[in-house]
Amino acid sequence: MKFNQLVIFSLFAILTFSNTNKVNAAEYVGVEQCVNCHQQEYKDWQTSHHDMSMRHASNESVLGNFNDASLIEHEQTHKFYRKGAQYWVNTKGPDGKFNDYQISYTFGYQPLQQYMVKFPDGRVQLIPLAWDSRDKKLGGQRWFNLYPNMQPHDEFFWTNNGQNWNYMCADCHSTNINKNYDTKTNTYNTTWSEINVGCEACHGPASKHITWANTPNQAGLNKGLDRNLKAKVESWDFVKGKKILLPNQSKKSDQLDTCGQCHSRRAQLNNSHDHVKKDFSDKYLLNGITEDLYYPDGQIYDEVFVLGSFKQSKMHQAGVVCSDCHNPHSTKLKAPIESICFQCHLPSEYTSAKHSQHQDGTEAAQCVTCHMPKTVYMEVDPRADHSFQIPRPDISQQIGTPNVCTSCHSKESNQWAVNALAKQFPNSTYQKSDSFAIAFAQASSGVPNSGDALSYIAQNSNEANIIRASALARISRYPGKNAMIAIMRGVKHEDPQMRLGSITGSAAFPFNDRWQIISPLLTDPVFAVRTETAGALVANWSNMSPSQQSLLSPALNEYISIQQYNSDRGFGLMNLANIHIAKGEWVKAEQYYLKAIEIEPIFASSYVNLADLYRQQGEDAKSLSILQQGIVNQPTSGVLRYSAGLNLYRQQQLNNAINYFQQATEVESDNPQYWYVLGLAQEKVNVKQAMSSLSKAYKVGKNPQHLYALCEFKIKHRDPTLQACLNSLSQIVPAQVVKQLTGR
C-alpha cells in the first residue's frame, strides 16, 4: 500500500444483566461493569496511561496552566485562558492569523499532555502546544511547542491531516471507535463506547462475560470473552549449562496482537475485521524495518511504538510477551528493572562485576541502559528500544549507526568501544559476527551486489521474520536470479509479513514474471496479503488476459474498500484514481485526483499524477497548470517542480525547464535524481555546470549509474579530470564496464 486515521456513551454507563438476558452478539458494557469483580485491576488501571489516554477537558483532566498563561516564541504569543468551565487557546490558525479555539479534550498526562479542538465538521485536531507535566525541578510545568517551525502547508501543521485525531489517533486512544467519515460531505461523525482506553479495548466487548458471571455453572471460552490474553509461556526452566531460563511450553496467546493494535507503527485497513481472533494483518498493515523508521541495524529512529522493534528481538522468539514485564492494567513494570530481567537471566551470570563492568547500583549498570537505549521524542518523552540489541560498535564503525557505548562515553571512539568489549568478552562469537545491518546499509546506498546479500538474509531462518520480510521488501531495487528465488520462497512462507515483503520485493520484475510469482497470493487467507497483491498487480490491468482480470477482481474489490475506508486522506483517493487509470477510465480517475486535491491540498502526489494524466491526453498546458497550483499549495515539494521541469523540457522550453529542475534541487537537495536530470538538461547550456550537477547526483546518492554518466560526459567533452573519474568508477563497477566506456 502506498502510504510514501459522537453518540457518546457515558464512561460510567450502568447496565444490568439478568440470567434471562441472553445476548446473541457481544456488546460493550463499560468500565463500571467490571469494578465489583476486578477491584485490584480497576485500581491499577485508574490514572494509568490507558485511563488518561483521552478525557473531556475538565478540572479533573486538564493539567496545563490556563490561568491567563502565555508562551512566547518567534516574537509571537500563544495565550491560554478560561471562560468559566471552558478552556481556550489563542494560537495561529491555517489562515496564518492568531485565533481563539476552545479545547474540547485532553490527550495523555505524563510526561506531557496534549490538547484537542473539535471543529463543526466533526474533525478533532491536536494543537501543537503541549504542557510539560514533569516536576519543575526536571524542567517541567511549562508550555512548549511540539512543532515550532510548522507552516500551514506542512502535513503536521495542527489543522492538517497529520494532526487529525479521527484518522491518526482515535483507534488507539479510545474504546470501540468508529471513524464514520462521509466522503460526500467531507465530514466525520466519529463514535466511541468509552472516551479512553477501557477494559474492553483489550478484552473485547464484555456483555457475554457479564452474562457468564451472573449465570451459575456457565461454561464458555475464557469465561464469556473471546480473547486469550494470558502469557505464552507458563513457566521458565533452568537447564544446566545455560545462563538463561528456557520456556517450558509455549502456548497460543492473543496478547501480542491485542497490544500491537496500538503499540505499533501500522496502517489501518478497515474497521470490520478482527485482528486478534484472525490475523493482525486482516485489519492492520505493520510497517517493516524501513529506512525512514529504523537505522539499518534495526534500532529505532522515528517513533515506531514498540511492536516492530520487539519482533526483531530474541525475547519475542523465545515466547516473551508484554505482560512478562509489564502490568497491563497499570502499564508499569511488574517489579524493579533488574528483577524483571532476572526472571530469566541468571543473576549469578549477569552481575555488574561479571557482565557490564559498571558500578553496581548505578543507572549505567542496569540491563536496560545498554540493551534498551532510550530515544527522546516529543521533546520530553524518552522511549526505550524494545529490540533488546547487544551493542555493536564495530557496526557503528562501518555504517555510522549509533551505539549505546559511545552515546554514554561520548569522548571515546567506536574503536575504543570495540576494544573494551573484546577485553570484557574475549570469547564472544557475537561481536564482529555477520549482521543484516551491513546489507541494509549497502542497499540503501545503492551498492550493486546488494541483491545477493538481501536474498541471503531473506532466506536465513536464524533471522527474525520481520528482518527477513524487510530484506525482501528492500530487494525490489535489485532484481536478479537470487532475488527471484528468495521472493518465491517468501511467497510460500507461513508468516504473512514474509508474504507481504515478497509482494514489495517483486516490483522490479516484468509483469509476466511478477504475475507468475505473486498471483497465488490473490486468494491468500490474510486480508492484507491478498489486497496488497491486487494493488501491486492492477497497474498492469491492460496487459492481463480476461482470466487474469477475473482472478484479480475479488481481491481488487477488497483493495478498493481499503482506499474507500481511507478516503479522508489524499493517498486513498489517489489510489482509487490510479486503479481507474490502469483500466483506462480517465474521467473517473480525474474526478478522484481532483477530490484528493480538494480534501488534502498539500498532498503533492495527487497533483503529479493528475498532471501525468493530462500529459497522456496531450494537454501539456493543463498539466503544467495543475503542477503550478500544487507548487503554490505545497511550496516545499521537490517533485512538483521536477515534474514541471519535465513538462517544459518536453515542450523544448529548455531554460524554463532548467529553472524548475534547479528549484527542485534547492527544495530537496538530497534527491540524486533531481541533480542527475538537471545535469542532463544543462549539457546544452553549460557543460561545466552539467558536470557539477552530475557530480552532485553521485555524491548525494552514491548511485554508480550517476558516476558512469559523469565519466561519459568527461569523455565526450574531453575533460582533463577524466582519469580521476574513471579511477573512482573502477572501484565500484566491473572492469569490463570501464573498458566498454573508454573503448567507446
Side-chain angles (χ1 to χ4, degrees):
M1 181 169 298
K2 302 173 184 175
F3 287 97
N4 220 85
Q5 207 220 218
L6 277 153
V7 181
I8 303 176
F9 294 94
S10 167
L11 175 63
F12 300 116
I14 303 300
L15 301 177
T16 302
F17 290 83
S18 68
N19 293 346
T20 59
N21 186 11
K22 301 296 183 182
V23 183
N24 292 326
E27 298 176 351
Y28 288 84
V29 300
V31 167
E32 280 300 294
Q33 288 294 304
C34 309
V35 177
N36 287 340
C37 297
H38 304 282
Q39 294 184 19
Q40 184 59 53
E41 289 81 359
Y42 177 72
K43 183 179 179 181
D44 289 343
W45 172 80
Q46 285 185 301
T47 71
S48 69
H49 286 283
H50 287 162
D51 181 19
M52 302 300 293
S53 60
M54 182 173 173
R55 291 294 187 98
H56 292 283
S58 67
N59 287 335
E60 291 74 29
S61 63
V62 173
L63 301 179
N65 180 7
F66 281 84
N67 296 320
D68 295 323
S70 61
L71 173 64
I72 302 174
E73 57 178 11
H74 303 314
E75 298 182 350
Q76 296 179 325
T77 303
H78 308 269
K79 298 179 180 179
F80 310 87
Y81 60 97
R82 296 186 63 167
K83 291 182 180 179
Q86 298 176 349
Y87 296 82
W88 287 75
V89 62
N90 180 269
T91 192
K92 187 166 70 174
D95 57 2
K97 299 178 182 179
F98 274 64
N99 303 300
D100 295 320
Y101 300 95
Q102 183 180 352
I103 300 299
S104 297
Y105 308 104
T106 64
F107 229 39
Y109 79 121
Q110 285 289 343
L112 71 157
Q113 186 173 68
Q114 294 179 268
Y115 302 92
M116 293 183 285
V117 173
K118 183 180 179 182
F119 288 91
D121 60 2
R123 281 175 167 77
V124 178
Q125 304 288 143
L126 282 86
I127 67 171
L129 310 167
W131 177 253
D132 185 343
S133 54
R134 298 175 302 166
D135 192 275
K136 195 167 187 177
K137 65 183 179 183
L138 298 176
Q141 300 301 297
R142 64 183 176 99
W143 288 103
F144 68 101
N145 195 334
L146 287 165
Y147 307 101
N149 299 315
M150 288 289 173
Q151 298 300 319
H153 56 257
D154 292 319
E155 180 185 1
F156 282 88
F157 185 79
W158 77 273
T159 55
N160 290 336
N161 282 349
Q163 294 295 334
N164 172 246
W165 165 85
N166 311 73
Y167 172 85
M168 295 289 292
C169 318
D171 187 57
C172 288
H173 278 257
S174 301
T175 301
N176 188 29
I177 280 285
N178 280 289
K179 184 171 62 173
N180 292 332
Y181 173 72
D182 189 325
T183 306
K184 294 180 180 179
T185 61
N186 191 23
T187 59
Y188 291 95
N189 182 29
T190 304
T191 64
W192 59 55
S193 294
E194 293 182 289
I195 193 172
N196 54 2
V197 178
C199 309
E200 293 163 296
C202 301
H203 291 278
S207 61
K208 289 187 176 181
H209 177 64
I210 298 297
T211 302
W212 173 88
N214 291 332
T215 304
N217 302 318
Q218 178 76 12
L221 177 64
N222 291 328
K223 303 177 181 180
L225 296 169
D226 64 357
R227 295 182 182 179
N228 173 18
L229 300 184
K230 295 180 180 179
K232 289 182 69 173
V233 179
E234 292 185 0
S235 65
W236 299 82
D237 295 345
F238 169 75
V239 176
K240 188 175 181 179
K242 299 291 185 180
K243 297 180 180 181
I244 302 173
L245 303 186
L246 299 179
N248 184 324
Q249 185 178 1
S250 185
K251 299 181 179 179
K252 187 182 183 306
S253 170
D254 298 327
Q255 187 178 136
L256 202 61
D257 285 343
T258 299
C259 299
Q261 172 184 349
C262 298
H263 295 275
S264 64
R265 187 73 172 260
R266 84 295 188 276
Q268 186 171 354
L269 307 179
N270 54 68
N271 198 43
S272 55
H273 292 186
D274 192 329
H275 65 288
V276 178
K277 299 311 297 179
K278 295 185 72 178
D279 190 273
F280 187 81
S281 297
D282 278 306
K283 189 173 182 179
Y284 300 104
L285 192 62
L286 179 67
N287 287 74
I289 311 305
T290 56
E291 298 174 40
D292 57 330
L293 300 179
Y294 299 87
Y295 289 102
D297 61 354
Q299 291 187 78
I300 55 176
Y301 175 68
D302 205 349
E303 291 181 281
V304 297
F305 307 107
V306 176
L307 184 60
S309 297
F310 184 63
K311 282 199 165 188
Q312 301 176 50
S313 71
K314 292 184 178 180
M315 305 290 186
H316 170 57
Q317 294 179 54
V320 172
V321 292
C322 312
S323 66
D324 287 315
C325 302
H326 297 271
N327 178 326
H329 301 103
S330 69
T331 70
K332 298 177 182 178
L333 289 174
K334 294 167 59 175
I337 292 174
E338 297 305 288
S339 299
I340 293 288
C341 301
F342 289 155
Q343 291 180 112
C344 297
H345 296 258
L346 296 181
S348 60
E349 298 295 332
Y350 292 94
T351 61
S352 299
K354 194 169 185 177
H355 187 69
S356 77
Q357 289 289 294
H358 292 91
Q359 184 177 349
D360 193 26
T362 64
E363 183 178 355
Q366 292 180 349
C367 307
V368 295
T369 302
C370 293
H371 298 290
M372 299 182 72
K374 294 179 179 179
T375 300
V376 176
Y377 301 102
M378 305 180 81
E379 283 200 33
V380 299
D381 192 6
R383 313 265 181 89
D385 192 325
H386 280 65
S387 59
F388 298 97
Q389 294 194 8
I390 298 172
R392 288 291 301 270
D394 59 311
I395 290 178
S396 298
Q397 274 188 317
Q398 296 183 62
I399 61 176
T401 50
N403 78 81
V404 70
C405 302
T406 54
S407 67
C408 286
H409 300 273
S410 56
K411 295 182 180 180
E412 304 292 353
S413 66
N414 286 321
Q415 186 59 53
W416 169 88
V418 170
N419 295 339
L421 286 173
K423 182 179 179 180
Q424 174 64 13
F425 304 103
N427 300 318
S428 172
T429 58
Y430 186 79
Q431 297 298 322
K432 296 188 177 181
S433 62
D434 290 340
S435 170
F436 66 86
I438 307 300
F440 280 14
Q442 290 178 341
S444 297
S445 299
V447 175
N449 64 350
S450 295
D452 291 341
L454 292 172
S455 299
Y456 173 78
I457 292 166
Q459 298 174 80
N460 184 359
S461 60
N462 292 323
E463 297 283 3
N465 283 348
I466 193 170
I467 296 297
R468 299 174 65 189
S470 300
L472 286 168
R474 290 170 184 252
I475 218 169
S476 61
R477 293 169 54 188
Y478 304 96
K481 182 178 179 180
N482 288 334
M484 181 176 286
I485 293 172
I487 290 167
M488 292 175 69
R489 289 177 174 172
V491 163
K492 299 176 181 179
H493 199 277
E494 62 180 8
D495 188 337
Q497 194 157 19
M498 287 286 287
R499 305 199 293 276
L500 288 164
S502 297
I503 297 166
T504 304
S506 67
F509 289 104
F511 167 66
N512 288 336
D513 291 339
R514 197 180 193 198
W515 175 271
Q516 185 175 359
I517 295 169
I518 69 172
S519 62
L521 298 179
L522 289 170
T523 55
D524 194 272
V526 176
F527 184 76
V529 175
R530 58 181 183 269
T531 54
E532 285 296 288
T533 307
L537 293 172
V538 68
N540 288 281
W541 180 269
S542 61
N543 298 325
M544 296 180 190
S545 66
S547 61
Q548 288 176 321
Q549 292 177 350
S550 178
L551 180 61
L552 177 69
S553 292
L556 179 60
N557 288 334
E558 291 181 311
Y559 177 79
I560 290 171
S561 74
I562 296 172
Q563 313 317 314
Q564 291 171 335
Y565 177 77
N566 288 305
S567 61
D568 50 342
R569 294 298 301 264
F571 74 80
L573 294 163
M574 184 187 71
N575 287 341
L576 290 170
N578 292 343
I579 294 170
H580 290 295
I581 287 286
K583 292 186 172 184
E585 299 166 349
W586 289 8
V587 173
K588 290 182 179 179
E590 180 187 28
Q591 292 172 348
Y592 276 113
Y593 286 138
L594 290 171
K595 184 67 174 179
I597 289 170
E598 176 190 342
I599 71 158
E600 196 167 2
I602 64 171
F603 185 57
S605 297
S606 300
Y607 299 97
V608 174
N609 285 353
L610 179 55
D612 192 58
L613 169 61
Y614 291 147
R615 177 194 62 78
Q616 293 179 57
Q617 295 174 324
E619 300 185 78
D620 283 330
K622 203 171 181 180
S623 176
L624 181 60
S625 177
I626 200 70
L627 290 169
Q628 290 170 334
Q629 178 187 339
I631 291 170
V632 171
N633 289 331
Q634 184 46 276
T636 64
S637 170
V639 69
L640 290 169
R641 290 169 168 80
Y642 173 72
S643 300
L646 293 176
N647 177 292
L648 292 164
Y649 190 84
R650 287 191 300 270
Q651 298 183 59
Q652 299 183 346
Q653 298 183 37
L654 184 58
N655 289 330
N656 288 336
I658 289 174
N659 180 41
Y660 272 111
F661 290 146
Q662 286 177 326
Q663 289 182 37
T665 63
E666 291 166 2
V667 172
E668 295 183 30
S669 61
D670 59 349
N671 189 308
Q673 179 68 12
Y674 299 165
W675 287 106
Y676 174 66
V677 174
L678 173 61
L680 298 181
Q682 287 173 324
E683 183 184 14
K684 296 179 181 179
V685 177
N686 189 314
V687 172
K688 187 175 181 180
Q689 288 182 351
M691 286 192 285
S692 175
S693 295
L694 290 176
S695 178
K696 183 70 173 179
Y698 177 67
K699 183 179 180 181
V700 168
K702 299 298 182 183
N703 186 333
Q705 292 180 348
H706 294 161
L707 183 58
Y708 183 97
L710 176 60
C711 294
E712 192 173 36
F713 261 52
K714 290 180 182 289
I715 292 173
K716 181 178 180 181
H717 296 286
R718 301 173 184 269
D719 187 85
T721 63
L722 167 62
Q723 192 57 49
C725 186
L726 292 173
N727 290 341
S728 297
L729 184 63
S730 66
Q731 301 297 314
I732 58 174
V733 300
Q736 185 64 25
V737 173
V738 178
K739 185 177 180 180
Q740 290 174 346
L741 176 62
T742 55
R744 284 162 48 192

